[in-house]
Amino acid sequence: MDKKIKFAVVGCGHIGKRHAEMVTRDPDAELVALCDIRPREELGVEAYDVPFFSSLAELLQSGLAIDVVNICTPNGLHAAMAIEAIQAGCHVVIEKPMALTLADAEKVVYASLKYRKQVFCVMQNRYSPPSVWIKEMVESGKLGKIYMVQLNCYWNRDERYYKPGGWHGDAKLDGGTLFTQFSHFIDIMYWLFGDICNIQARFADFNHAGLTAFEDSGFVNFNFVNGGMGSLSYSTSVWNKNMESSMLIVAENGSVKIGGQYMNEVEYCHVKDYEMPVLAPTNPGNDYGPYKGSAQNHNFVIRNVVRVLSGADAECITTNVLEGMKVVDIIQRIYALKK
């Protein structure tokens, strides 16, 4: 490739640092700036010898040549910052979720169309080998009609995660458990089976009353617009460590269960006239010390951005802005059922 794609990362927490690291590792990408409201010295970003800015406006007015702005700030800031970067002439990578309301997500879509800029939504679970495999199983019709899908997300998020003074757990900046913790599992469900309707839901706040402004657990059931029914059970009240995130599919020609801590292994596959291949191993989960996150696939995200923007073999965006918007829409419709 003749010219490297230039990235600036806004928000230098755990995920922002992961983005910066993956950009510097990609031979066709270049990290040109970092941005955070906290002082540089507090952030542990000394490895990156690039200009540092304390606001997005300052970064965008700096005159630096920037192709892509990666938005890795608290959830509630994603949409406004993405629009600001798009209006300044940059493509954007938005960490999940792309917004906290459908209206804000639509504004991002509008800006992207108006200014002809690409929006990449980070949904890194799509890259794990079991996800790639099950996508092919569903799309090829090997499973036949989908009857039932059960999604279970049981994670630990306690006071080690919801620290006082942080944005996690804040109603405006965080938005809720489904947005911050489990939106990528809702994304996988939407990616595989499409939209949902006839939603019913129950919510509870078992042990996060002093830590968060929203529920920690929920049961949700629904129908798929394309046929079949589904359920989502989730909780961050699991003691001490993550238990599992799994998806169980009952279909016309067989049944499949993908499980593990972050949907990283195929636990059951019994499908008519089909023998399960050996899949490549899934990357380990993001390790935040006391708590764990989903599989470390951010390198695939950056690679996809580089390939799309450099026009390599007409590669398409792995998670486009409309898909990012649908996930926000689905979560908003589920949360609309809170009494």
Side-chain angles (χ1 to χ4, degrees), residues 22-170:
M22 294 307 162
V23 168
T24 51
R25 281 190 195 177
D26 194 297
D28 300 311
E30 182 187 353
L31 183 68
V32 296
L34 293 173
C35 174
D36 200 289
I37 54 170
R38 293 165 297 175
R40 186 174 196 151
E41 306 72 59
E42 278 178 28
L43 297 166
V45 292
E46 49 286 327
Y48 308 108
D49 184 21
V50 296
F52 182 87
F53 300 92
S54 54
S55 76
L56 177 57
E58 194 189 323
L59 167 71
L60 296 172
Q61 288 156 17
S62 66
L64 270 180
I66 302 166
D67 297 310
V68 186
V69 173
N70 291 33
I71 313 279
C72 306
T73 51
N75 302 347
L77 306 174
H78 288 180
M81 287 187 155
I83 292 165
E84 201 179 327
I86 290 167
Q87 288 172 340
C90 303
H91 303 286
V92 290
V93 172
I94 313 179
E95 256 302 335
K96 59 159 183 66
M98 71 177 275
L100 291 182
T101 64
L102 179 58
D104 280 351
E106 284 172 344
K107 286 175 190 160
V108 176
V109 175
Y110 178 78
S112 133
L113 294 168
K114 181 177 174 183
Y115 293 91
R116 298 203 188 112
K117 293 295 163 194
Q118 301 282 22
V119 175
F120 301 80
C121 301
V122 176
M123 287 295 180
Q124 71 274 22
N125 283 32
R126 291 189 182 196
Y127 295 98
S128 66
S131 300
V132 175
W133 169 77
I134 193 64
K135 176 73 169 166
E136 201 277 322
M137 291 291 284
V138 172
E139 293 216 323
S140 64
K142 284 191 186 76
L143 292 176
K145 284 193 187 112
I146 302 298
Y147 295 157
M148 291 179 78
V149 176
Q150 184 185 0
L151 200 60
N152 291 308
C153 302
Y154 292 115
W155 280 12
N156 159 266
R157 289 289 181 264
D158 52 26
E159 62 287 340
R160 293 170 295 184
Y161 179 86
Y162 291 114
K163 292 190 170 81
W167 64 272
H168 290 298
D170 178 275

Side-chain angles (χ1 to χ4, degrees), residues 96 122-126 128 131 149 151-155 157 177-193 222 231-234 242 244-247 258-264 292-295 327 330-331:
K96 59 159 183 66
V122 176
M123 287 295 180
Q124 71 274 22
N125 283 32
R126 291 189 182 196
S128 66
S131 300
V149 176
L151 200 60
N152 291 308
C153 302
Y154 292 115
W155 280 12
R157 289 289 181 264
T177 301
L178 289 179
F179 279 118
T180 303
Q181 309 305 334
F182 302 130
S183 59
H184 35 341
F185 299 112
I186 291 173
D187 171 71
I188 291 289
M189 185 181 77
Y190 171 69
W191 183 54
L192 293 173
F193 310 111
F222 41 82
S231 70
L232 161 66
S233 310
Y234 69 94
N242 288 358
E244 69 161 24
S245 38
S246 65
M247 182 187 287
I258 299 175
Q261 243 194 71
Y262 31 83
M263 284 198 337
N264 51 318
K292 302 286 184 282
S294 57
V327 171
I330 289 170
I331 295 174

